[in-house]
Amino acid sequence: MRRLPLSWVLACALVSPAVLAQPAQPLTMERIMADPDWIGAPVEGAWWRWDGQAAYYTLKREGSSVRETWQQPLAGGASVRVEDGARADLDAQNPITDATGTRMAFLRNGDLFVRDLRTGALTQVTRTEAQEAQPQWSTTGGLVWRAGNDWFGWDAQRGTTQLASLKAEDDPAKPPKDDDLRDRQLRMIETLRVERERRDGLRMQNETWRRSDATRAPGPVFLGKDVTIAGSALSPAGDRLIVATTAKSGDAGQAGKMPRYVTESGYEEFEDVRTRVGRNDPLPHTLWLVDVASGQARELKTGTLPGIGTDPLADLRRAAGKDALKGNRPVRLELDGRGGGGGAIRWSDDGRSVALSIHSVDNKDRWLATVDLAGATLHSRDRLTDNAWINWDFNEFGWLPDNRTLWFLSETSGYSHLYLNDGGRSRALTSGQWEVSSPVMSRDGSRFFFLCNQQWPGRYEVCSANGGAVSELTKTGGIEDFALSPDETRLLLRTSSSYTPPQLAVADVAGGEVRVLTDTRTAEFKAHDWLQPEYVQIPSKHGAGTVWGKFYAPENYEPGRKYPVVLFVHGAGYLQNVSDRYPNYFREQMFHNLLVQQGYIVLDLDFRASAGYGRDWRTAIYRQMGHPELEDYLDGIDWLVANHQADRDRVGIYGGSYGGFMTFMALFREPGVFKAGAALRPVTDWSQYNHAYTANILNTPDIDPEAYLKSSPMEYADRLQDNLLIAHGMIDDNVFYKDSVMMAQRLIELRKDKWELASYPLERHAYQHPASWYDQYRRIYELFERTLK
């Protein structure tokens, strides 16, 4: 087939409307790969103003990395940018409301504020360089929060007080180790002995005065010089702490060194990067219950957790010539990004109960456990076990207002759903072949709000559960996230669609219309008649049921014509791209429009391992990455040939990150089926990737070498016979540029031809510069034009 001159497509992409279908406007590569400012900035974050009459949201300033705050009246009308001088009165995202619903507290710029919801009065609680974290309402009606490893409290009467201080040091009062030389010295030199006795006496007297004087802050809690404090959570009563520590001598593994060649200094520079999978497991946590008044720390032993002493990888260890683990498996708490305990430690509002979300380091088990505060023992409330791995998502939990019942998310049924546990057996609040995510509990605990995808896996609404009945509160789809109004009668939404980045909207909790309040798209972008994707269901010939996809094709097919095919593979593995939301891959979606204009048909699949389809879909790749997914794409080709005039002999594939890995697997494992592929920032061997992701799916190379062999593109590279483009950013600190360099050397040694490597010196994993985007997609387009036309 005659190809159009490349300059036509890259400069103006002029296409005869009599030959090709929508979109009617000509697209250019330079435009669709330009800075996204030409599209219009998405609404990035949204939150309620204290009185519920307006909402705030952030937008990226055009031509800048600055994020500005805007205010939108809920009654309608134009948004107004918040001026610099008015920022001091702003509310913030993720406020916590007290039990009466009359006050909310929030963090802004690392400081803590309290807003009176009756009058609007704003009280600034802290004004420090420290980054306050984990605020919660105390049992006395004030607040407690963390700054570093110190905990503070505040109320309107007493102001701010320090409640606890954790130190990874030895207690000065701790008796020294036996030492004959020291004992002789003190026995023979009276002056040394007297000075020590006076020093010890002064310290003991000061400690006695501290404990008896209510105006003094409690003394430090000394956890020992051999530990590092990983996180903590103070009870709302301020009397007890849960603390997680790691061994200071623990080996976290050898970090990598990444070279940077194009630098401001003019010299080569090196950047520390992560360790590789299996180069040491994440450091396990030791858990402690601390009495603040006495400073006593008691270890919370994990032996009471069911299954903790069983090694789920014992057979694989023995097959690799290793012994099964002995004793209890090591555990970790999934702490938040700043080392706090807010994500994995939840105190009840009355401060009498605490629950922990504990994961085994191998991530085969998750326990929700409560603590017997008197006996310092753990009691399992719920155990979720998975012979593959526990999901990274769906781990939210908390207490009902009765202070004895836990609510939590679990994939026990195979799909994420809400459960309750009051100390006995857990019971489900929701059920079905769909997922609950982002749950929010009403203040009185009678109702939960959450995102749901009941209608089909890619359509997201806000739902609620009251008792056991589930109802959809929105009917539009495309809901990204939501926030309850302070009076819990309305929902502030971010909503999107295929060609509309997230926008601000509002809806009543009682149901009804979703009112979209903003449209930040540019006139130029809206003027395009974009090709809407068709949501399709591909029947699996490999026992997977239905594979969902987005299909881009001409509105009218030419009779008798067979169309070349481009298959797109999304990144991240566990990500959902087939949804009615604005795609992560918005540039690629525009590129698919251009491809259709140039006579291709395009299919984008949520292959097995993608998010949104339940546990079995997620874990289908366990110990065999690149195999079920490839079957899904082969089924996609069959479906296109049978239903959409696809030319089986002209199929190309491309994608980035996980999509780059899958491009390798497609070309290497099915030579001749795919005539061309573009592997962007690809994983070439999983032994080079990180532990947190890879060890879940493939275990570690030392105990499961077969899984790494089966899942490595390097092992199949000798089969390459088709056209391959590799493209990679040279300062990628996620998938290292080294991956592509290794593959290049492998292909050189195999004396393969028809491949090329494009390198981008100033790009990380997510490209930032339009010139790089343009160059990469120019190469992809040229590859397909050269090989599929």
Side-chain angles (χ1 to χ4, degrees):
M1 178 179 291
R2 182 180 67 86
R3 295 196 299 271
L4 291 172
L6 178 62
S7 59
W8 286 19
V9 178
L10 299 183
C12 61
L14 293 175
V15 180
S16 170
V19 176
L20 300 176
Q22 294 179 339
Q25 301 92 336
L27 295 172
T28 68
M29 190 75 73
E30 186 169 21
R31 196 38 158 168
I32 63 180
M33 295 300 158
D35 188 307
D37 281 354
W38 85 273
I39 297 170
V43 170
E44 293 182 344
W47 63 100
W48 288 95
R49 197 173 71 186
W50 69 272
D51 59 2
Q53 300 304 305
Y56 297 113
Y57 63 92
T58 55
L59 283 181
K60 185 183 108 39
R61 182 189 295 174
E62 185 175 356
S64 170
S65 297
V66 172
R67 266 58 183 177
E68 297 178 317
T69 302
W70 293 71
Q71 181 173 253
Q72 170 65 51
L74 270 295
S79 296
V80 178
R81 185 175 65 84
V82 176
E83 298 295 337
D84 293 350
R87 296 182 67 85
D89 194 53
L90 283 174
D91 302 316
Q93 296 185 70
N94 304 313
I96 55 170
T97 306
D98 69 6
T100 65
T102 59
R103 293 178 300 164
M104 71 179 188
F106 54 86
L107 294 170
R108 172 157 52 80
N109 300 324
D111 287 315
L112 186 59
F113 296 81
V114 173
R115 177 82 74 179
D116 189 315
L117 296 176
R118 296 160 297 187
T119 65
L122 182 65
T123 301
Q124 183 167 0
V125 176
T126 67
R127 188 182 182 187
T128 71
E129 285 296 315
Q131 293 292 310
E132 276 71 45
Q134 293 174 241
Q136 58 184 323
W137 290 101
S138 71
T139 54
T140 59
L143 290 166
V144 298
W145 70 92
R146 176 178 62 82
N149 290 319
D150 296 330
W151 283 86
F152 298 87
W154 170 89
D155 62 43
Q157 289 72 43
R158 295 183 302 166
T160 298
T161 57
Q162 183 165 340
L163 301 178
S165 178
L166 296 171
K167 294 188 179 297
E169 303 170 7
D170 283 341
D171 188 337
K174 180 181 178 180
K177 294 180 180 179
D178 291 339
D179 188 310
D180 180 70
L181 182 62
R182 184 193 64 241
D183 293 343
R184 286 173 181 272
Q185 192 86 341
L186 291 173
R187 180 172 55 81
M188 292 186 294
I189 308 298
E190 181 180 6
T191 302
L192 289 177
R193 185 176 69 254
V194 170
E195 285 184 353
R196 190 185 74 165
E197 290 172 352
R198 289 178 176 177
R199 188 172 62 248
D200 289 349
L202 176 62
R203 176 178 47 77
M204 293 173 64
Q205 184 60 63
N206 282 336
E207 189 58 35
T208 299
W209 286 339
R210 180 196 293 274
R211 289 198 182 103
S212 61
D213 185 350
T215 66
R216 298 280 299 276
V221 175
F222 296 98
L223 295 170
K225 63 181 175 61
D226 297 326
V227 304
T228 298
I229 299 168
S232 64
L234 182 68
S235 75
D239 57 345
R240 293 183 176 92
L241 278 159
I242 299 293
V243 184
T245 64
T246 59
K248 190 169 289 184
S249 60
D251 184 1
Q254 179 179 337
K257 293 283 187 181
M258 183 176 68
R260 301 178 62 180
Y261 294 102
V262 181
T263 63
E264 291 184 10
S265 70
Y267 292 87
E268 300 84 1
E269 298 174 3
F270 293 86
E271 183 177 315
D272 291 333
V273 290
R274 58 165 173 77
T275 58
R276 272 72 164 177
V277 59
R279 298 296 95 190
N280 285 107
D281 289 345
L283 295 178
H285 288 150
T286 301
L287 308 178
W288 306 91
L289 173 64
V290 173
D291 181 271
V292 172
S294 68
Q296 180 188 20
R298 293 179 288 172
E299 184 178 352
L300 297 171
K301 302 286 188 178
T302 60
T304 58
L305 301 176
I308 188 69
T310 302
D311 181 3
L313 297 172
D315 291 343
L316 285 175
R317 291 186 208 279
R318 294 189 188 101
K322 298 176 178 293
D323 294 331
L325 295 180
K326 294 179 175 62
N328 297 329
R329 281 179 286 157
V331 301
R332 284 179 61 84
L333 302 185
E334 297 305 312
L335 304 172
D336 65 30
R338 288 186 177 168
I345 308 169
R346 300 291 188 192
W347 284 94
S348 61
D349 288 342
D350 63 4
R352 298 177 181 176
S353 302
V354 64
L356 286 70
S357 178
I358 304 171
H359 288 239
S360 57
V361 168
D362 58 36
N363 205 25
K364 306 290 186 183
D365 279 283
R366 183 199 74 184
W367 297 271
L368 291 179
T370 52
V371 179
D372 175 354
L373 298 178
T377 54
L378 292 170
H379 294 280
S380 177
R381 284 281 192 103
D382 186 87
R383 178 191 181 191
L384 177 64
T385 188
D386 198 309
N387 59 11
W389 73 93
I390 302 298
N391 202 338
W392 303 286
D393 295 337
F394 312 132
N395 289 295
E396 294 98 321
F397 72 106
W399 293 92
L400 292 188
D402 65 9
N403 295 308
R404 63 182 181 83
T405 304
L406 282 173
W407 66 264
F408 58 95
L409 289 183
S410 175
E411 282 188 317
T412 295
S413 70
Y415 292 84
S416 170
H417 283 291
L418 271 167
Y419 291 81
L420 297 180
N421 184 290
D422 60 4
R425 296 187 61 180
S426 299
R427 65 181 181 88
L429 277 182
T430 62
S431 62
Q433 294 186 358
W434 52 278
E435 294 181 334
V436 171
S437 59
S438 305
V440 174
M441 183 182 68
S442 63
R443 264 193 310 278
D444 64 5
S446 65
R447 191 175 185 183
F448 285 89
F449 302 87
F450 47 86
L451 293 180
C452 60
N453 57 351
Q454 286 185 304
Q455 295 187 32
W456 63 276
R459 182 181 176 93
Y460 286 88
E461 307 284 5
V462 179
C463 286
S464 72
N466 189 350
V470 175
S471 57
E472 282 190 349
L473 305 183
T474 60
K475 305 293 183 184
T476 60
I479 304 299
E480 300 274 350
D481 49 48
F482 69 94
L484 270 176
S485 63
D487 63 3
E488 299 189 342
T489 63
R490 287 172 296 169
L491 300 165
L492 189 65
L493 308 165
R494 287 196 316 132
T495 183
S496 68
S497 60
S498 293
Y499 295 98
T500 303
Q503 301 297 325
L504 192 70
V506 67
D508 290 336
V509 164
E513 177 189 8
V514 171
R515 291 192 297 116
V516 179
L517 301 171
T518 63
D519 187 350
T520 59
R521 295 174 296 168
T522 65
E524 180 186 0
F525 184 76
K526 288 191 289 186
H528 278 274
D529 186 13
W530 296 105
L531 181 63
Q532 295 297 323
E534 179 185 354
Y535 298 100
V536 297
Q537 299 181 62
I538 313 298
S540 171
K541 297 178 180 179
H542 299 88
T546 294
V547 184
W548 281 85
K550 288 195 289 192
F551 180 50
Y552 302 83
E555 184 176 11
N556 300 303
Y557 292 88
E558 292 183 31
R561 178 182 178 183
K562 288 189 175 182
Y563 290 81
V565 174
V566 171
L567 302 174
F568 173 66
V569 191
H570 70 66
Y574 191 63
L575 177 146
Q576 189 173 26
N577 203 49
V578 180
S579 76
D580 60 3
R581 294 164 164 171
Y582 191 65
N584 292 287
Y585 298 94
F586 61 90
R587 290 184 183 87
E588 289 78 355
Q589 181 172 248
M590 292 186 289
F591 181 55
H592 298 161
N593 276 252
L594 185 150
L595 288 175
V596 170
Q597 284 191 339
Q598 298 305 318
Y600 297 85
I601 57 177
V602 182
L603 182 62
D604 169 6
L605 294 180
D606 270 348
F607 48 85
R608 274 174 284 177
S610 298
Y613 301 87
R615 180 265 171 199
D616 291 348
W617 196 265
R618 171 175 63 82
T619 61
I621 60 170
Y622 180 57
R623 303 188 66 221
Q624 55 172 356
M625 294 170 80
H627 291 257
E629 312 96 297
L630 183 53
E631 292 175 349
D632 296 339
Y633 276 93
L634 295 174
D635 289 340
I637 295 172
D638 289 345
W639 179 82
L640 290 170
V641 170
N643 298 282
H644 292 282
Q645 299 179 211
D647 189 339
R648 187 183 295 277
D649 295 326
R650 293 187 291 156
V651 178
I653 188 168
Y654 86 102
S657 192
Y658 201 95
F661 155 73
M662 280 304 305
T663 297
F664 281 144
M665 295 297 268
L667 267 65
F668 297 171
R669 293 190 57 242
E670 292 290 340
V673 172
F674 303 90
K675 292 297 184 293
L680 320 175
R681 51 197 182 277
V683 173
T684 64
D685 188 90
W686 287 103
S687 66
Q688 300 298 309
Y689 202 53
N690 68 26
H691 188 97
Y693 179 85
T694 316
N696 285 280
I697 305 172
L698 299 180
N699 303 309
T700 54
D702 60 324
I703 65 172
D704 203 350
E706 183 61 33
Y708 282 81
L709 287 171
K710 189 173 185 178
S711 304
S712 171
M714 295 285 284
E715 299 294 335
Y716 304 97
D718 60 325
R719 304 184 193 179
L720 177 64
Q721 68 180 43
D722 301 294
N723 298 273
L724 172 63
L725 165 66
I726 307 170
H728 212 137
M730 294 177 68
I731 54 172
D732 188 337
D733 52 3
N734 182 349
V735 179
F736 299 148
Y737 177 64
K738 179 179 185 290
D739 271 74
S740 288
V741 173
M742 288 169 52
M743 181 59 75
Q745 181 61 30
R746 177 70 172 145
L747 296 176
I748 290 168
E749 292 174 356
L750 290 168
R751 290 167 170 76
K752 295 295 182 180
D753 57 5
K754 297 189 296 187
W755 68 275
E756 61 178 312
L757 170 60
S759 303
Y760 297 90
L762 288 175
E763 298 299 346
R764 295 192 181 272
H765 197 61
Y767 287 18
Q768 297 297 314
H769 305 100
S772 300
W773 279 104
Y774 174 86
D775 184 83
Q776 180 174 248
Y777 276 78
R778 172 188 62 80
R779 293 174 185 270
I780 297 169
Y781 179 79
E782 289 176 347
L783 172 70
F784 291 152
E785 284 287 284
R786 186 171 67 248
T787 59
L788 304 183
K789 285 287 188 73

